[in-house]
Amino acid sequence: MDLADLYQDVIVDHNKSPRNFGSLDDPTREAEGYNPLCGDQLKLYIKMNGDVIEDISFDGSGCAISVASASLMTERLKGANEAEAHRLFECMHQLLTDDGYEADIDDLGKLAALTGVRAFPSRIKCASLCWHALNSALKGDDQPATTE
Ligand code: FES
């Protein structure tokens, strides 16, 4: 099995069985992401404990890539602090938009599965939808974050 197959398997798994799907009862932050190209929306729920993301979940409608990306993101961010969440947002932004960016695959872990999306420019906004919502939640924006 080569790396591309492995990445594909991770995406399929996280789409079929999304982690952290559903709302939280007591979120301290919420944010929405919107992809105007397809009309899909995603809502992110975060429960902060100090500067640590104690719990995080998402719901909404979206394609396989957007669901897998949100599942991977929430899995990675649970237990992370705010600085780490900012760092990963910047990292994923570069990973998805800069062909020349050489990501640290070990650091990214399963998130590296999203590198395959770069080969499909029309799907980059699908993968970045949840990350825009995260950025909005971290900034405390009350307007939906769009991928445009
Ligand atoms: Fe709508 Fe992917 S097609 S988020």
Side-chain angles (χ1 to χ4, degrees), residues 34-35 37-41 61-67 122-123 125-127 129 147:
Y34 174 61
N35 184 350
L37 291 182
C38 60
D40 285 335
Q41 283 175 304
S61 62
C63 63
I65 299 288
S66 69
V67 169
S122 65
R123 310 313 299 279
K125 291 184 192 310
C126 304
L129 180 59
T147 54

Short mmCIF file of all heavy atoms in Angstrom, two decimals, residues 34-35 37-41 61-67 122-123 125-127 129 147, ligand 1:
data_model
loop_
_atom_site.label_atom_id
_atom_site.label_comp_id
_atom_site.label_asym_id
_atom_site.label_seq_id
_atom_site.Cartn_x
_atom_site.Cartn_y
_atom_site.Cartn_z
N TYR A 34 -19.16 28.34 5.91
CA TYR A 34 -20.07 28.29 4.76
C TYR A 34 -19.25 28.25 3.49
O TYR A 34 -18.32 29.04 3.31
CB TYR A 34 -20.97 29.52 4.79
CG TYR A 34 -21.87 29.67 3.60
CD1 TYR A 34 -22.82 28.70 3.30
CD2 TYR A 34 -21.79 30.79 2.77
CE1 TYR A 34 -23.65 28.83 2.20
CE2 TYR A 34 -22.61 30.93 1.67
CZ TYR A 34 -23.54 29.95 1.39
OH TYR A 34 -24.36 30.07 0.30
N ASN A 35 -19.57 27.30 2.62
CA ASN A 35 -18.92 27.23 1.32
C ASN A 35 -19.91 27.68 0.25
O ASN A 35 -20.82 26.93 -0.13
CB ASN A 35 -18.46 25.78 1.03
CG ASN A 35 -17.69 25.67 -0.26
OD1 ASN A 35 -17.65 26.62 -1.05
ND2 ASN A 35 -17.10 24.52 -0.51
N LEU A 37 -19.71 28.01 -2.81
CA LEU A 37 -19.65 27.29 -4.09
C LEU A 37 -20.68 26.17 -4.16
O LEU A 37 -21.20 25.87 -5.24
CB LEU A 37 -18.26 26.70 -4.32
CG LEU A 37 -17.13 27.69 -4.58
CD1 LEU A 37 -15.83 26.95 -4.83
CD2 LEU A 37 -17.47 28.57 -5.78
N CYS A 38 -20.97 25.56 -3.02
CA CYS A 38 -21.90 24.43 -3.02
C CYS A 38 -23.07 24.64 -2.07
O CYS A 38 -24.05 23.91 -2.10
CB CYS A 38 -21.17 23.15 -2.63
SG CYS A 38 -20.45 23.27 -0.99
N GLY A 39 -22.95 25.63 -1.19
CA GLY A 39 -24.02 25.90 -0.22
C GLY A 39 -23.90 25.09 1.06
O GLY A 39 -24.74 25.18 1.94
N ASP A 40 -22.84 24.29 1.17
CA ASP A 40 -22.70 23.47 2.37
C ASP A 40 -22.31 24.32 3.58
O ASP A 40 -21.56 25.28 3.46
CB ASP A 40 -21.66 22.37 2.15
CG ASP A 40 -22.19 21.25 1.26
OD1 ASP A 40 -23.42 21.07 1.23
OD2 ASP A 40 -21.39 20.58 0.60
N GLN A 41 -22.82 23.90 4.73
CA GLN A 41 -22.56 24.62 5.97
C GLN A 41 -22.10 23.65 7.04
O GLN A 41 -22.54 22.50 7.06
CB GLN A 41 -23.83 25.30 6.47
CG GLN A 41 -24.15 26.56 5.71
CD GLN A 41 -25.47 27.15 6.15
OE1 GLN A 41 -26.49 26.47 6.11
NE2 GLN A 41 -25.44 28.40 6.56
N SER A 61 -24.02 19.91 7.00
CA SER A 61 -24.05 19.09 5.79
C SER A 61 -22.79 19.36 4.99
O SER A 61 -22.29 20.49 4.96
CB SER A 61 -25.27 19.46 4.95
OG SER A 61 -25.17 20.81 4.56
N GLY A 62 -22.30 18.36 4.36
CA GLY A 62 -21.10 18.58 3.54
C GLY A 62 -20.71 17.31 2.83
O GLY A 62 -21.23 16.23 3.11
N CYS A 63 -19.78 17.46 1.92
CA CYS A 63 -19.31 16.32 1.13
C CYS A 63 -18.32 15.48 1.96
O CYS A 63 -17.96 15.85 3.08
CB CYS A 63 -18.62 16.83 -0.12
SG CYS A 63 -17.15 17.80 0.27
N ALA A 64 -17.89 14.39 1.37
CA ALA A 64 -16.99 13.46 2.07
C ALA A 64 -15.71 14.15 2.54
O ALA A 64 -15.25 13.92 3.66
CB ALA A 64 -16.64 12.29 1.14
N ILE A 65 -15.16 15.00 1.69
CA ILE A 65 -13.90 15.68 2.06
C ILE A 65 -14.12 16.62 3.24
O ILE A 65 -13.31 16.68 4.17
CB ILE A 65 -13.33 16.48 0.86
CG1 ILE A 65 -13.03 15.55 -0.32
CG2 ILE A 65 -12.11 17.27 1.27
CD1 ILE A 65 -11.84 14.66 -0.13
N SER A 66 -15.22 17.37 3.21
CA SER A 66 -15.45 18.34 4.29
C SER A 66 -15.72 17.62 5.61
O SER A 66 -15.26 18.07 6.67
CB SER A 66 -16.59 19.30 3.95
OG SER A 66 -17.83 18.64 3.94
N VAL A 67 -16.44 16.51 5.56
CA VAL A 67 -16.73 15.76 6.78
C VAL A 67 -15.44 15.12 7.32
O VAL A 67 -15.15 15.19 8.52
CB VAL A 67 -17.80 14.67 6.52
CG1 VAL A 67 -17.92 13.72 7.70
CG2 VAL A 67 -19.15 15.33 6.23
N SER A 122 -10.74 22.07 -6.98
CA SER A 122 -12.14 22.39 -6.67
C SER A 122 -12.53 21.85 -5.29
O SER A 122 -13.57 22.24 -4.75
CB SER A 122 -13.07 21.81 -7.73
OG SER A 122 -13.01 20.41 -7.70
N ARG A 123 -11.73 20.96 -4.71
CA ARG A 123 -12.09 20.38 -3.41
C ARG A 123 -11.35 21.04 -2.24
O ARG A 123 -11.59 20.68 -1.08
CB ARG A 123 -11.82 18.88 -3.38
CG ARG A 123 -12.39 18.11 -4.54
CD ARG A 123 -13.85 18.45 -4.87
NE ARG A 123 -14.78 18.19 -3.79
CZ ARG A 123 -15.29 17.00 -3.51
NH1 ARG A 123 -14.98 15.97 -4.24
NH2 ARG A 123 -16.14 16.84 -2.52
N LYS A 125 -11.60 23.98 -1.03
CA LYS A 125 -12.51 24.71 -0.14
C LYS A 125 -13.31 23.74 0.73
O LYS A 125 -13.71 24.07 1.85
CB LYS A 125 -13.44 25.60 -0.95
CG LYS A 125 -12.71 26.77 -1.59
CD LYS A 125 -13.65 27.69 -2.29
CE LYS A 125 -12.92 28.69 -3.17
NZ LYS A 125 -11.84 29.39 -2.51
N CYS A 126 -13.56 22.55 0.22
CA CYS A 126 -14.25 21.53 1.03
C CYS A 126 -13.40 21.18 2.25
O CYS A 126 -13.89 21.11 3.37
CB CYS A 126 -14.49 20.26 0.20
SG CYS A 126 -15.38 20.53 -1.34
N ALA A 127 -12.11 20.96 1.99
CA ALA A 127 -11.20 20.57 3.09
C ALA A 127 -10.97 21.73 4.06
O ALA A 127 -10.73 21.50 5.25
CB ALA A 127 -9.87 20.10 2.51
N LEU A 129 -13.12 24.16 4.84
CA LEU A 129 -14.34 24.70 5.45
C LEU A 129 -14.27 24.69 6.99
O LEU A 129 -14.50 25.71 7.64
CB LEU A 129 -15.54 23.88 4.94
CG LEU A 129 -16.92 24.27 5.44
CD1 LEU A 129 -17.25 25.71 5.08
CD2 LEU A 129 -17.98 23.33 4.84
N THR A 147 -15.51 30.26 2.81
CA THR A 147 -14.28 29.76 2.20
C THR A 147 -13.80 30.67 1.09
O THR A 147 -12.74 30.43 0.52
CB THR A 147 -14.49 28.34 1.64
OG1 THR A 147 -15.62 28.38 0.75
CG2 THR A 147 -14.75 27.34 2.74
FE1 FES B 1 -19.71 21.35 -0.42
FE2 FES B 1 -17.51 19.95 -0.48
S1 FES B 1 -19.03 20.07 -2.03
S2 FES B 1 -18.17 21.31 1.06
#
